[in-house]
Amino acid sequence: MSGAHVTDTAIAWDTYSRQRPERRPVNAFGEETWFNWTQYADHGPGVELLEVQPGARVLDLGCGKGGNAAHLATLGVIAVGVDVSPCQLAAAQERWGWVPGLEFHQTEAVAFLREDQQGFDAVYSVYGAAWFTDPALLLPAIREQLRPGGRLVFSQRPPVPGCYGCQASYIPRGADEDPLVVKRWDYEPDAWEQLLKEYGFTDVDATVLAAPPGNRTVGTFVVRARA
Ligand SMILES: C[S@@+](CC[C@H](N)C(=O)[O-])C[C@H]1O[C@@H](n2cnc3c(N)ncnc32)[C@H](O)[C@@H]1O
């Protein structure tokens, strides 16, 4: 059979990683580390969404090049980043490996959650594994590891109206090459609320944060829940 097929995830995300620029050395406020939930620079809320204090153990699912986890570690949080892509993690390790309280694991999100038995005070994902993993597998695994009262927060692009459930996400390659394909899961806010409640989460809030002023109109979908 010809046509597009779902690609091995590590291969697909390594390809993505090679195309992505490094995070800037400093942001618009002159900070060397920062947290960004959105696809826009210097925009949106910060770590306060996680409701954690220094000493908390926090998990980043699909941490990519590690900038958000590194910022948390500079605040005294024990930040654990997991990512399936060796390229992403090599970049994370090279730039942030020196930061105390920060650890990276090259592994798949659900596999990690099932193996690690220490628990987390918060779990988050920024356009990460929470978007690219079947929620029927991921949500119960997170619920098991999230300590009582702990926050689950994830951000992703809002769903395209009418396109719900498992969708194909394309990772472009060269002009003469077919794109690679990974799966992602898109739902409307009501559906996320229902799913999260089904898996034992409470205090669910799913809202779209508006894009910054300018030409871009697509906002950021931010979903928050509590164990
Ligand atoms: C769009 S990137 C976002 C990376 C990072 N969170 C950021 O904000 O720059 C998605 C990341 O999720 C990772 N990823 C996707 N599915 C995953 C899974 N099932 N387990 C672990 N990592 C995953 C990819 O390797 C990739 O680094």
Side-chain angles (χ1 to χ4, degrees), residues 12-176:
W13 289 111
D14 272 0
T15 305
Y16 169 88
S17 179
R18 289 188 200 98
Q19 300 167 11
R20 292 293 294 177
E22 285 284 323
R23 182 178 266 211
R24 297 163 294 165
V26 289
N27 67 8
F29 312 105
E31 297 159 334
E32 290 177 8
T33 68
W34 62 90
F35 200 105
N36 190 350
W37 295 99
T38 82
Q39 65 274 52
Y40 302 110
D42 311 308
H43 178 62
V47 291
E48 67 278 4
L49 295 193
L50 295 171
E51 298 177 14
V52 289
Q53 302 298 322
R57 187 167 188 253
V58 175
L59 177 63
D60 184 334
L61 294 173
C63 63
K65 294 188 171 77
N68 286 326
H71 179 62
L72 280 170
T74 66
L75 302 178
V77 164
I78 300 158
V80 179
V82 303
D83 201 288
V84 76
S85 157
C87 273
Q88 290 282 68
L89 279 190
Q93 194 61 43
E94 188 178 331
R95 177 146 175 198
W96 306 113
W98 57 273
V99 179
L102 178 61
E103 51 183 91
F104 293 118
H105 300 269
Q106 192 228 312
T107 179
E108 195 280 323
V110 176
F112 179 83
L113 284 158
R114 287 179 180 164
E115 273 164 29
D116 184 275
Q117 294 301 316
Q118 295 181 60
F120 289 95
D121 298 296
V123 175
Y124 71 91
S125 186
V126 177
Y127 285 72
W131 199 15
F132 299 102
T133 309
D134 185 346
L137 299 175
L138 187 67
L139 294 182
I142 295 173
R143 184 67 188 76
E144 277 287 305
Q145 292 301 323
L146 194 52
R147 295 175 182 151
R151 277 288 188 191
L152 164 64
V153 186
F154 55 90
S155 63
Q156 56 199 46
R157 207 171 53 219
V160 175
C163 303
Y164 307 124
C166 184
Q167 307 287 317
S169 226
Y170 292 89
I171 294 176
R173 291 193 287 173
D176 296 329

Side-chain angles (χ1 to χ4, degrees), residues 183-201:
K183 292 179 183 173
R184 67 165 202 271
W185 277 260
D186 283 327
Y187 297 101
E188 286 183 301
D190 286 358
W192 272 118
E193 283 174 29
Q194 200 180 317
L195 262 176
L196 283 154
K197 285 178 183 164
E198 224 170 88
Y199 288 106
F201 292 89

